[in-house]
Amino acid sequence: MPRVRVQNWKRSITYHANSVERINSAEDLQRIVSDTQRYPSPVRAKGSHHSTTRCVVAEAGTVCDMSGMNKILKIDKAAKTITLEAGCLLIDAAKALEKEGLQFYANVELGNLTMGSGATGGTKDASYYDDGEWEFGQVCSYCIAMKIVQVDGSILEVTEDSDPTLLAALRTGYGMLGITYEMTYRVKEISAMGVHHEMFTVDRFAQALPQLLERKQSIMLYLFPFLDRVLVEFRYDTDEKLSPGSKTWAIRNYTWKTVWPFVSNVLAYLPWTWLRYKIIDVLNRLTLWFMTYKLKDTNSSPADQIIRYSEMGGFASYTFSIWAFPRDAYPETIKEYFKFCKKYYKENNYRCDMLNVGYHIAQDQSGLFSYTRDWPALTLDPVASGAKGWEGFLVAYNEWCVQHGGRPLFNQTGSLTPLQAMKSFGPQIAQFKALRNTIDPDERFLNEHFRTLFSEVDAAETPDAPPAGG
């Protein structure tokens, strides 16, 4: 039987599955997971495949396409929860909540994020400040219940009350503990959102960061290493009447998802790299000016910041990576990162051809592999068209990040090595492997990517597994 060719959204990762099965019900999953002869391992759930790492790969295995399970099952306004099937898209769920006067806590940019992927993997968004505290910046942190199909085909429901330890592992387990098909998220009442931008030199930003954080506003960064500039995007609640359909966010999102990646991909064909980057510097200056002086709003909907991408990336597509760094050390870290980018360009004639970004994210231990589990963080996220030179840059960038105390995301940090994973999450990997050995001893849900990535942590040295639930 010929294998099925599957690609991620960017088309930068290709693998060949034994079969791709469209899932329409929990019974479909039970049948597939329990039939090891007809449906070979690994069995992996497929969302929108936007991940930039091979965590999505099920080489020679069985891909469970969850797009057929895309219903919103219940919005409970009194309890402030939403229950959905795993294939439902974030942007569709956010719009449904908006109509009910509710919103997600973390409105990540990627509207094509399936709620199953959001519940079981890493995401990034700047933490909001509300009710006297910083909220979490990861979608999975607000998933309070999941229903999963276990390795024997049985169904297990896990909640915050029934098994918080297992739920924490599931939240960042990337489907390695079972296939999640239904989940419940905690949500909150909707508020009108204000947004504006302020520009700093990198030195001034590093000096001002403690004062900027004292404003208690959500902070996203646009980084311009070759202009020595940092643009800060502030988001915050306002008392104005909510007005969905913000033109400000429409302009910002169209520029981010279409204009910049299209231009960067066109410029990648220029044979003169010096000219390519001169043009990019001019565009960067225009972007800085426009966002600083023109891009602002006072009454948009939080759902307006979410972008609906095409099902597959075309010419106007891009890629990225991400590491998080301790907030206290970030003023020095960002200055060193700007120096690293310049040095790498000088030595290798390569630099990112799109905007670098960053996010301020609260400390969060809701997921076992939370990249902010030990401290509040700010991130450094290079973004690029993916043209020649990107992979080499990632290798150097990853090593630089490890040396500067960074933490990666397993689904959004490309070219990560097993040793780097161990340095970042050694104790958590050991705990997770012990749990996996109990729940899935025959490795039904484990793909080669994670087997290799976790290989530096010796299974013989892993601790006893915590209770695994029912």
Side-chain angles (χ1 to χ4, degrees), residues 152-165:
D152 62 356
S154 63
I155 290 175
L156 174 67
E157 182 172 7
V158 184
T159 70
E160 282 186 322
D161 295 329
S162 70
D163 197 333
T165 299

Side-chain angles (χ1 to χ4, degrees), residues 302-366:
D304 289 341
Q305 76 182 72
I306 304 174
I307 301 175
R308 189 187 298 274
Y309 288 85
S310 58
E311 285 193 15
M312 289 294 290
F315 188 75
S317 63
Y318 61 92
T319 188
F320 58 91
S321 190
I322 174 175
W323 285 76
F325 299 87
R327 186 172 69 190
D328 290 346
Y330 196 78
E332 189 62 32
T333 302
I334 189 173
K335 291 191 291 184
E336 290 299 314
Y337 176 68
F338 276 33
K339 293 177 184 177
F340 163 78
C341 291
K342 294 171 185 175
K343 183 174 185 289
Y344 189 87
Y345 176 50
K346 183 178 180 180
E347 295 176 350
N348 299 277
N349 203 31
Y350 178 86
R351 50 181 275 201
C352 294
D353 50 11
M354 286 186 61
L355 311 181
N356 289 234
V357 297
Y359 302 84
H360 170 242
I361 305 169
Q363 184 174 2
D364 181 5
Q365 297 183 348
S366 302

Side-chain angles (χ1 to χ4, degrees), residues 221-240:
L221 308 176
Y222 299 87
L223 312 177
F224 302 84
F226 293 87
L227 301 179
D228 283 322
R229 294 293 185 273
V230 177
L231 186 72
V232 183
E233 179 175 283
F234 294 98
R235 287 178 282 157
Y236 43 90
D237 289 340
T238 73
D239 295 326
E240 297 195 24

Side-chain angles (χ1 to χ4, degrees), residues 24-89:
N24 296 302
S25 66
E27 289 75 21
D28 288 344
L29 284 174
Q30 290 177 288
R31 170 175 50 82
I32 289 167
V33 170
S34 59
D35 188 346
T36 58
Q37 297 302 311
R38 185 175 178 184
Y39 303 104
S41 302
V43 177
R44 302 288 293 163
K46 176 184 178 296
S48 60
H49 260 20
H50 271 257
S51 295
T52 60
T53 79
R54 296 186 69 83
C55 72
V56 300
V57 170
E59 189 69 40
T62 305
V63 175
C64 295
D65 179 357
M66 303 300 293
S67 60
M69 294 189 72
N70 58 9
K71 297 183 182 66
I72 297 173
L73 301 175
K74 183 180 181 181
I75 296 177
D76 190 329
K77 295 184 69 172
K80 294 187 177 61
T81 61
I82 182 171
T83 302
L84 326 91
E85 293 180 328
C88 182
L89 300 185

